[in-house]
PDB file of all heavy atoms in Angstrom:
ATOM      1  N   ALA A 679     -98.192  75.252-188.787  1.00  0.00           N
ATOM      2  CA  ALA A 679     -97.454  74.536-189.830  1.00  0.00           C
ATOM      3  C   ALA A 679     -98.406  74.073-190.931  1.00  0.00           C
ATOM      4  O   ALA A 679     -98.058  74.093-192.111  1.00  0.00           O
ATOM      5  CB  ALA A 679     -96.712  73.342-189.232  1.00  0.00           C
ATOM      6  N   LEU A 680     -99.615  73.673-190.525  1.00  0.00           N
ATOM      7  CA  LEU A 680    -100.588  73.216-191.526  1.00  0.00           C
ATOM      8  C   LEU A 680    -101.008  74.359-192.448  1.00  0.00           C
ATOM      9  O   LEU A 680    -101.318  74.136-193.612  1.00  0.00           O
ATOM     10  CB  LEU A 680    -101.836  72.649-190.837  1.00  0.00           C
ATOM     11  CG  LEU A 680    -101.696  71.281-190.161  1.00  0.00           C
ATOM     12  CD1 LEU A 680    -102.992  70.912-189.453  1.00  0.00           C
ATOM     13  CD2 LEU A 680    -101.325  70.205-191.173  1.00  0.00           C
ATOM     14  N   ASP A 682     -99.161  76.761-193.477  1.00  0.00           N
ATOM     15  CA  ASP A 682     -98.066  77.223-194.321  1.00  0.00           C
ATOM     16  C   ASP A 682     -98.333  76.790-195.762  1.00  0.00           C
ATOM     17  O   ASP A 682     -98.157  75.630-196.123  1.00  0.00           O
ATOM     18  CB  ASP A 682     -96.744  76.637-193.806  1.00  0.00           C
ATOM     19  CG  ASP A 682     -95.563  77.053-194.698  1.00  0.00           C
ATOM     20  OD1 ASP A 682     -95.784  77.827-195.661  1.00  0.00           O
ATOM     21  OD2 ASP A 682     -94.439  76.612-194.420  1.00  0.00           O
ATOM     22  N   SER A 683     -98.709  77.751-196.595  1.00  0.00           N
ATOM     23  CA  SER A 683     -99.172  77.392-197.938  1.00  0.00           C
ATOM     24  C   SER A 683     -98.029  76.958-198.856  1.00  0.00           C
ATOM     25  O   SER A 683     -98.248  76.365-199.897  1.00  0.00           O
ATOM     26  CB  SER A 683     -99.922  78.571-198.576  1.00  0.00           C
ATOM     27  OG  SER A 683     -99.083  79.696-198.634  1.00  0.00           O
ATOM     28  N   GLU A 684     -96.794  77.245-198.435  1.00  0.00           N
ATOM     29  CA  GLU A 684     -95.646  76.902-199.274  1.00  0.00           C
ATOM     30  C   GLU A 684     -95.358  75.398-199.264  1.00  0.00           C
ATOM     31  O   GLU A 684     -94.997  74.817-200.272  1.00  0.00           O
ATOM     32  CB  GLU A 684     -94.382  77.639-198.778  1.00  0.00           C
ATOM     33  CG  GLU A 684     -94.554  79.135-198.668  1.00  0.00           C
ATOM     34  CD  GLU A 684     -94.607  79.797-200.046  1.00  0.00           C
ATOM     35  OE1 GLU A 684     -93.738  79.493-200.873  1.00  0.00           O
ATOM     36  OE2 GLU A 684     -95.533  80.599-200.290  1.00  0.00           O
ATOM     37  N   ALA A 685     -95.474  74.791-198.068  1.00  0.00           N
ATOM     38  CA  ALA A 685     -95.068  73.389-197.936  1.00  0.00           C
ATOM     39  C   ALA A 685     -96.133  72.578-197.204  1.00  0.00           C
ATOM     40  O   ALA A 685     -95.953  72.204-196.047  1.00  0.00           O
ATOM     41  CB  ALA A 685     -93.738  73.303-197.195  1.00  0.00           C
ATOM     42  N   PRO A 686     -97.256  72.316-197.878  1.00  0.00           N
ATOM     43  CA  PRO A 686     -98.361  71.618-197.201  1.00  0.00           C
ATOM     44  C   PRO A 686     -97.980  70.221-196.735  1.00  0.00           C
ATOM     45  O   PRO A 686     -98.339  69.825-195.625  1.00  0.00           O
ATOM     46  CB  PRO A 686     -99.454  71.568-198.274  1.00  0.00           C
ATOM     47  CG  PRO A 686     -98.748  71.765-199.570  1.00  0.00           C
ATOM     48  CD  PRO A 686     -97.563  72.625-199.274  1.00  0.00           C
ATOM     49  N   ALA A 687     -97.221  69.473-197.557  1.00  0.00           N
ATOM     50  CA  ALA A 687     -96.866  68.104-197.175  1.00  0.00           C
ATOM     51  C   ALA A 687     -95.969  68.101-195.945  1.00  0.00           C
ATOM     52  O   ALA A 687     -96.124  67.271-195.036  1.00  0.00           O
ATOM     53  CB  ALA A 687     -96.166  67.398-198.339  1.00  0.00           C
ATOM     54  N   ARG A 688     -95.082  69.077-195.905  1.00  0.00           N
ATOM     55  CA  ARG A 688     -94.193  69.162-194.745  1.00  0.00           C
ATOM     56  C   ARG A 688     -94.989  69.575-193.500  1.00  0.00           C
ATOM     57  O   ARG A 688     -94.727  69.101-192.389  1.00  0.00           O
ATOM     58  CB  ARG A 688     -93.062  70.167-195.014  1.00  0.00           C
ATOM     59  CG  ARG A 688     -91.816  69.837-194.212  1.00  0.00           C
ATOM     60  CD  ARG A 688     -90.635  70.747-194.569  1.00  0.00           C
ATOM     61  NE  ARG A 688     -89.944  71.202-193.373  1.00  0.00           N
ATOM     62  CZ  ARG A 688     -90.196  72.353-192.768  1.00  0.00           C
ATOM     63  NH1 ARG A 688     -91.113  73.182-193.243  1.00  0.00           N
ATOM     64  NH2 ARG A 688     -89.510  72.684-191.679  1.00  0.00           N
ATOM     65  N   GLY A 689     -95.971  70.430-193.678  1.00  0.00           N
ATOM     66  CA  GLY A 689     -96.816  70.827-192.560  1.00  0.00           C
ATOM     67  C   GLY A 689     -97.565  69.638-191.981  1.00  0.00           C
ATOM     68  O   GLY A 689     -97.678  69.486-190.761  1.00  0.00           O
ATOM     69  N   ILE A 690     -98.070  68.779-192.858  1.00  0.00           N
ATOM     70  CA  ILE A 690     -98.804  67.600-192.393  1.00  0.00           C
ATOM     71  C   ILE A 690     -97.870  66.647-191.663  1.00  0.00           C
ATOM     72  O   ILE A 690     -98.215  66.090-190.619  1.00  0.00           O
ATOM     73  CB  ILE A 690     -99.484  66.900-193.602  1.00  0.00           C
ATOM     74  CG1 ILE A 690    -100.555  67.818-194.199  1.00  0.00           C
ATOM     75  CG2 ILE A 690    -100.090  65.575-193.172  1.00  0.00           C
ATOM     76  CD1 ILE A 690    -101.104  67.358-195.540  1.00  0.00           C
ATOM     77  N   GLU A 691     -96.685  66.508-192.209  1.00  0.00           N
ATOM     78  CA  GLU A 691     -95.698  65.653-191.540  1.00  0.00           C
ATOM     79  C   GLU A 691     -95.358  66.194-190.160  1.00  0.00           C
ATOM     80  O   GLU A 691     -95.291  65.446-189.178  1.00  0.00           O
ATOM     81  CB  GLU A 691     -94.432  65.573-192.418  1.00  0.00           C
ATOM     82  CG  GLU A 691     -93.374  64.620-191.892  1.00  0.00           C
ATOM     83  CD  GLU A 691     -93.921  63.229-191.625  1.00  0.00           C
ATOM     84  OE1 GLU A 691     -94.696  62.715-192.463  1.00  0.00           O
ATOM     85  OE2 GLU A 691     -93.601  62.668-190.568  1.00  0.00           O
ATOM     86  N   ALA A 740    -104.646  72.086-195.996  1.00  0.00           N
ATOM     87  CA  ALA A 740    -103.314  71.582-196.347  1.00  0.00           C
ATOM     88  C   ALA A 740    -103.429  70.419-197.323  1.00  0.00           C
ATOM     89  O   ALA A 740    -102.671  70.336-198.301  1.00  0.00           O
ATOM     90  CB  ALA A 740    -102.564  71.160-195.086  1.00  0.00           C
ATOM     91  N   ARG A 743    -104.094  71.506-200.762  1.00  0.00           N
ATOM     92  CA  ARG A 743    -102.912  72.039-201.426  1.00  0.00           C
ATOM     93  C   ARG A 743    -101.949  70.934-201.881  1.00  0.00           C
ATOM     94  O   ARG A 743    -101.104  71.161-202.753  1.00  0.00           O
ATOM     95  CB  ARG A 743    -102.189  73.023-200.506  1.00  0.00           C
ATOM     96  CG  ARG A 743    -102.710  74.448-200.668  1.00  0.00           C
ATOM     97  CD  ARG A 743    -101.995  75.421-199.749  1.00  0.00           C
ATOM     98  NE  ARG A 743    -102.811  75.771-198.602  1.00  0.00           N
ATOM     99  CZ  ARG A 743    -102.526  75.444-197.344  1.00  0.00           C
ATOM    100  NH1 ARG A 743    -101.424  74.778-197.079  1.00  0.00           N
ATOM    101  NH2 ARG A 743    -103.330  75.808-196.360  1.00  0.00           N
ATOM    102  N   THR A 744    -102.078  69.747-201.286  1.00  0.00           N
ATOM    103  CA  THR A 744    -101.218  68.655-201.760  1.00  0.00           C
ATOM    104  C   THR A 744    -101.826  67.955-202.965  1.00  0.00           C
ATOM    105  O   THR A 744    -101.240  67.003-203.498  1.00  0.00           O
ATOM    106  CB  THR A 744    -100.971  67.588-200.669  1.00  0.00           C
ATOM    107  OG1 THR A 744    -102.196  66.899-200.411  1.00  0.00           O
ATOM    108  CG2 THR A 744    -100.431  68.202-199.402  1.00  0.00           C
TER     109      THR A 744
END
Side-chain angles (χ1 to χ4, degrees):
Chain A
L680 287 176
D682 178 3
S683 58
E684 306 288 312
R688 207 174 136 265
I690 295 169
E691 185 53 43
R743 271 180 257 114
T744 68

